[in-house]
Amino acid sequence: MASSSNSYNSPCAACKFLRRKCMPGCIFAPYFPPEEPHKFANVHKIFGASNVTKLLNELLPHQREDAVNSLAYEAEARVRDPVYGCVGAISYLQRQVHRLQKELDAANADLAHYGLSTSAAGAPGNVVDLVFQPQPLPSQQLPPLNPVYRLSGASPVMNQMPRGTGGSYGTFLPWNNGHDQQGGNM
Amino acid sequence: MNPKRCAACKYLRRRCPKDCVFSPYFPPNDPQKFACVHRIYGAGNVSKMLQQLPDQTRAEAVESLCFEAKCRVDDPVYGCVGIIHLLKTQIQKTQNELAKTQAEIAVAQTKLSQTHISDFM
């Protein structure tokens, strides 16, 4: 849960950074606690405080924490890699999906081969029925990367980002610890 | 001054100088591209970011900024982080499927070798 910092008379990280008084209704206070100064510094550097204020004001209160965490994630990615930002990570992950899909297709082909040979040898022939059919990536939800970004200049940004509590995406959000098990250095 | 102003200068209603940092990347025939980036980052921030980069990396930086800005406009809560979430979910799922398939291959191999052994008995 987001905690308001100005209830303890300590200005939030945003107001501290902007050198202004942190008022009781401060829109930043619940999401930029004073003990995380870097979070706001990055967001301000990339998006600007006024843009973030505008963005948060256009959202429902329950959406704001996730929005701030995703902005902080993007901002840190852009600070680490000024050319590609999050797109470097997306490109890396897309290639990982593609590679895994190829491996899965090959494994399924292998299994089909074993299924046929075991059937021919008189063993039960239902092994193939157990195989998962690979689910295609939901491309309609993924805007095409155009051009496809090379990762030559991209730095590893995944799993090194600010972490919060997550929301409707649950534990799979990049700033949450859960389920971050895929290989690679991202 | 450029006879044909770039999309950025047109949008900002200003003269387009000869050394305009935006003009190589925001052609006048694509006004939406700059509008999107300006809405999310602001012209000043984009200008600053581009000036801190060597010329040869600026085009790709603009493309990645445009992509992220478009994602943020489409999804104001998660932006392109939503795509990262989708991809990580897909990776997790595919890894699980791959592990299951590999386990089934191992079972099939064992069954096959046992069949061969029993054939020789």
Side-chain angles (χ1 to χ4, degrees), chain A:
Chain A
M1 186 68 193
S3 60
S4 178
S5 59
N6 47 13
S7 54
Y8 302 99
N9 291 328
S10 170
C12 70
C15 292
K16 223 179 223 175
F17 187 95
L18 299 169
R19 293 177 186 176
R20 67 182 195 188
K21 197 177 177 211
C22 192
M23 305 302 283
C26 174
I27 195 162
F28 295 128
Y31 318 111
F32 295 103
E35 64 272 15
E36 283 186 78
H38 268 288
K39 189 179 180 183
F40 182 77
N42 285 338
V43 167
H44 177 60
K45 184 180 177 181
I46 302 302
F47 296 97
S50 58
N51 279 351
V52 177
T53 305
K54 207 185 299 171
L55 206 142
L56 291 180
N57 279 324
E58 286 168 3
L59 294 175
L60 298 168
H62 74 272
Q63 297 175 310
R64 289 174 185 170
E65 187 176 7
D66 275 355
V68 164
N69 283 329
S70 71
L71 286 167
Y73 185 95
E74 270 185 56
E76 189 168 339
R78 181 65 58 181
V79 167
R80 285 171 184 269
D81 181 358
V83 177
Y84 296 100
C86 268
V87 173
I90 289 170
S91 176
Y92 172 86
L93 290 169
Q94 279 185 328
R95 283 187 290 146
Q96 206 178 342
V97 167
H98 186 65
R99 182 179 55 78
L100 279 167
Q101 199 65 60
K102 275 170 100 171
E103 274 184 54
L104 183 60
D105 291 344
N108 279 334
D110 262 9
L111 189 58
H113 167 75
Y114 277 111
L116 289 171
S117 49
T118 49
S119 299
N126 61 350
V127 184
V128 183
D129 300 341
L130 300 170
V131 181
F132 274 111
Q133 286 310 305
Q135 294 296 307
L137 196 63
S139 52
Q140 72 279 5
Q141 295 171 56
L142 298 181
L145 279 182
N146 198 6
V148 175
Y149 293 93
R150 296 192 306 278
L151 266 179
S152 52
S155 54
V157 293
M158 302 296 289
N159 300 330
Q160 298 170 23
M161 293 297 166
R163 296 177 183 273
T165 55
S168 58
Y169 274 140
T171 50
F172 264 114
L173 277 167
W175 54 80
N176 287 326
N177 286 304
H179 304 284
D180 270 358
Q181 290 161 2
Q182 84 268 14
N185 60 349
M186 286 303 225

Side-chain angles (χ1 to χ4, degrees), chain B residues 103-119:
Chain B
E104 285 168 5
I105 288 170
V107 169
Q109 280 175 329
T110 309
K111 278 184 181 171
L112 193 64
S113 60
Q114 282 171 349
T115 309
H116 285 316
I117 291 164
S118 62
D119 283 349

